[in-house]
């Protein structure tokens, strides 16, 4: 199963309309602006005097200067080149030398912050949720951004690793048969949870199994096909890791690893959380280490699926049902096709006229 123009999964020219990590909150102090390239689109992301992060298309509509070269003023941004100012909605509100600004506007994008990350919605309007750990949905959380990484394959391919049941045995030598049950939380989120207790022939599993009332806890939740949260650990103490990925040029991946836990009060709670987050990092590193080289050399092509690949096929189906956007333009797939056809039609008419 390889990428094609018709499929969204593993397609270097398409991504799902949704929330994506843009920059960490710490990287953007008040009154600062940063250049960000997100799924082929250049943006200027800035934090106004009010502390709110905002995103605007990077290039000034006057002569195309990059707005990240400019400066933040109030809740707006002023271009470095000719000092045109744009407000928080992207409207031009001031042009030096003119009594009245011209009626021009730069595209702005919806931004939100969670888990120490600035997220950006890639569509026109969002009524959808930011990625979160389902188990901690109603809790105030503490998060540490652990690592930045790149992979030599598509984010969709990196994501399926966590529900590749067979590789837990072949790569990680886990003496436990993993069988997943899926549940679609909404059109953009799906969970896969382990349903087995297993490990009858393993002394290790027999020992740790006493820490579980039922099955060994391992749950993966996917958001927009590119961000995933994994929950694992004994019944009395779960570890939570988020992998926030995004598509980069050439159908490759860059991502951030977030370690997340419920916020606990007081100095004892703070110290306890430090220990939990450290243990979470150790667990995450263990599972990531064995797969690193695979994602630098893989050419994903699922031609011979087996019963063990059932969850992967379910994830692919989930991805295909979501709205796809085109790399760079961020147009919906059907709009991009219409735009190309219109461009081709105009070119043909122009050639005929000549």
């Amino acid at each position: 199963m390889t990428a094609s123009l018709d499929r969204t999964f593993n397609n270097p020219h398409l991504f799902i309309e949704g929330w994506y990590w843009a920059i960490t909150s710490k990287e953007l102090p008040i009154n600062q602006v940063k250049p960000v390239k997100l799924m082929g689109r250049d943006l200027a992301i800035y934090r106004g005097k009010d502390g709110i992060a905002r995103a605007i298309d990077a290039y000034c509509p006057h002569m195309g200067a990059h707005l990240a070269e400019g400066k933040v003023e109030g809740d707006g941004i002023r271009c470095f080149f000719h000092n045109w100012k744009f407000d928080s909605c992207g409207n031009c509100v001031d042009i030096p030398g003119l009594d009245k600004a011209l009626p021009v506007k730069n595209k702005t994008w919806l931004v939100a912050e969670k888990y120490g990350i600035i997220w950006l919605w890639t569509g026109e309007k969002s009524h959808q949720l930011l990625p979160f750990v389902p188990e901690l949905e109603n809790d105030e959380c503490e998060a540490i951004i652990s690592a930045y990484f790149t992979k030599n394959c598509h984010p969709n391919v990196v994501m399926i690793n966590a529900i590749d049941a067979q590789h837990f045995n072949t790569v990680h030598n886990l003496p436990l048969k993993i069988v997943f049950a899926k549940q679609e939380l909404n059109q953009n989120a799906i969970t896969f949870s382990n349903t087995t207790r297993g490990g009858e022939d393993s002394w290790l599993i027999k020992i740790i199994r006493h820490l579980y009332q039922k099955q060994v806890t391992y749950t993966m939740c996917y958001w927009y096909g590119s961000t995933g949260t994994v929950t694992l650990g004994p019944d009395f103490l779960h570890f939570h890791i988020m992998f926030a990925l995004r598509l980069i040029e050439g159908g490759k991946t860059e991502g951030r690893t977030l370690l997340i836990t419920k916020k606990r009060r007081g100095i004892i709670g703070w110290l306890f959380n430090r220990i939990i987050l450290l243990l979470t990092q150790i667990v995450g590193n263990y599972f990531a280490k064995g797969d690193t080289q695979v994602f630098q050399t893989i050419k994903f092509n699922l031609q011979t699926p087996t019963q063990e690949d059932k969850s992967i096929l379910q994830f692919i189906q989930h991805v295909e049902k979501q709205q796809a956007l085109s790399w760079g333009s961020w147009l919906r797939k059907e709009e991009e096709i219409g735009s190309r056809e219109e461009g081709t039609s105009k070119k043909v008419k122009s050639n005929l006229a000549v």
Side-chain angles (χ1 to χ4, degrees):
M1 186 180 297
T2 56
S4 71
L5 293 177
D6 298 326
R7 298 189 68 89
T8 302
F9 182 86
N10 194 29
N11 191 325
H13 308 294
L14 296 174
F15 63 95
I16 293 171
E17 180 182 69
W19 288 102
Y20 291 87
W21 72 274
I23 192 172
T24 67
S25 296
K26 288 184 177 180
E27 291 178 276
L28 194 68
I30 289 177
N31 291 328
Q32 293 295 309
V33 56
K34 301 287 184 180
V36 174
K37 195 176 189 72
L38 188 63
M39 264 78 77
R41 195 179 193 100
D42 289 306
L43 305 164
I45 297 184
Y46 66 95
R47 193 183 297 279
K49 186 178 180 180
D50 55 9
I52 297 174
R54 298 178 174 86
I56 187 170
D57 274 353
Y59 300 109
C60 179
H62 180 212
M63 288 192 183
H66 201 300
L67 291 176
E69 300 290 339
K71 62 180 179 179
V72 179
E73 288 188 5
D75 64 356
I77 189 167
R78 190 177 290 274
C79 180
F80 167 78
F81 201 17
H82 297 97
N83 286 348
W84 288 27
K85 182 179 178 181
F86 300 88
D87 66 14
S88 60
C89 295
N91 299 301
C92 183
V93 293
D94 181 55
I95 299 176
L98 295 183
D99 294 332
K100 184 178 180 181
L102 299 176
V104 294
K105 185 175 182 177
N106 232 29
K107 177 68 179 176
T108 57
W109 301 92
L110 186 62
V111 168
E113 293 191 61
K114 190 179 182 70
Y115 301 136
I117 290 286
I118 295 173
W119 304 82
L120 186 142
W121 176 260
T122 55
E124 291 299 317
K125 295 181 180 179
S126 171
H127 301 288
Q128 305 303 322
L129 299 170
L130 281 166
F132 62 82
V133 179
E135 187 175 291
L136 303 178
E137 178 179 5
N138 299 315
D139 293 318
E140 186 178 358
C141 294
E142 188 171 354
I144 291 178
I145 301 170
S146 173
Y148 167 86
F149 57 88
T150 59
K151 303 293 183 184
N152 197 32
C153 60
H154 195 283
N156 293 159
V157 176
V158 179
M159 285 282 96
I160 62 172
N161 182 65
I163 52 171
D164 183 349
Q166 191 171 13
H167 102 285
F168 287 106
N169 306 125
T170 58
V171 175
H172 301 295
N173 299 313
L174 185 68
L176 174 69
K177 182 177 177 61
I178 300 289
V179 179
F180 290 111
K182 78 173 179 72
Q183 179 185 5
E184 295 203 14
L185 302 183
N186 57 52
Q187 65 183 26
N188 298 122
I190 186 171
T191 64
F192 293 90
S193 300
N194 174 46
T195 63
T196 59
R197 191 168 171 83
E200 298 299 334
D201 299 328
S202 168
W203 62 268
L204 174 61
I205 296 300
K206 286 180 180 178
I207 292 174
I208 69 171
R209 199 166 56 184
H210 296 294
L211 304 176
Y212 299 88
Q213 183 177 359
K214 296 181 180 179
Q215 67 275 6
V216 174
T217 301
Y218 179 86
T219 301
M220 189 75 198
C221 181
Y222 292 106
W223 297 86
Y224 309 103
S226 292
T227 294
T229 66
V230 60
T231 294
L232 71 165
D235 290 341
F236 61 88
L237 184 62
H238 286 168
F239 304 113
H240 308 286
I241 306 170
M242 175 178 283
F243 300 99
L245 312 183
R246 64 190 185 198
L247 181 66
I248 57 175
E249 197 164 2
K252 300 179 182 180
T253 296
E254 64 178 345
R256 304 301 301 245
T257 301
L258 286 73
L259 315 174
I260 303 169
T261 190
K262 178 181 178 180
K263 191 167 186 177
R264 297 169 176 88
R265 305 296 177 183
I267 186 64
I268 300 300
W270 184 88
L271 290 171
F272 184 74
N273 275 6
R274 304 282 76 71
I275 296 172
I276 295 302
L277 292 170
L278 176 60
L279 291 173
T280 304
Q281 185 170 31
I282 292 172
V283 171
N285 289 343
Y286 169 77
F287 283 105
K289 185 178 180 180
D291 304 324
T292 298
Q293 186 56 37
V294 172
F295 294 121
Q296 299 307 111
T297 57
I298 192 171
K299 299 295 181 184
F300 184 81
N301 187 7
L302 183 57
Q303 292 183 324
T304 52
T306 69
Q307 181 61 31
E308 297 287 342
D309 301 319
K310 179 181 178 181
S311 296
I312 294 174
L313 295 175
Q314 290 173 332
F315 174 67
I316 293 173
Q317 292 167 0
H318 174 71
V319 167
E320 295 301 328
K321 289 189 296 184
Q322 298 180 65
Q323 180 62 58
L325 302 180
S326 296
W327 170 270
S329 70
W330 291 15
L331 291 175
R332 295 193 169 195
K333 184 164 62 173
E334 56 272 19
E335 294 173 339
E336 180 75 15
I337 293 172
S339 177
R340 288 178 182 176
E341 290 177 347
E342 182 180 354
T344 301
S345 177
K346 288 181 179 180
K347 186 175 181 179
V348 170
K349 288 180 180 179
S350 177
N351 291 338
L352 289 174
V354 173

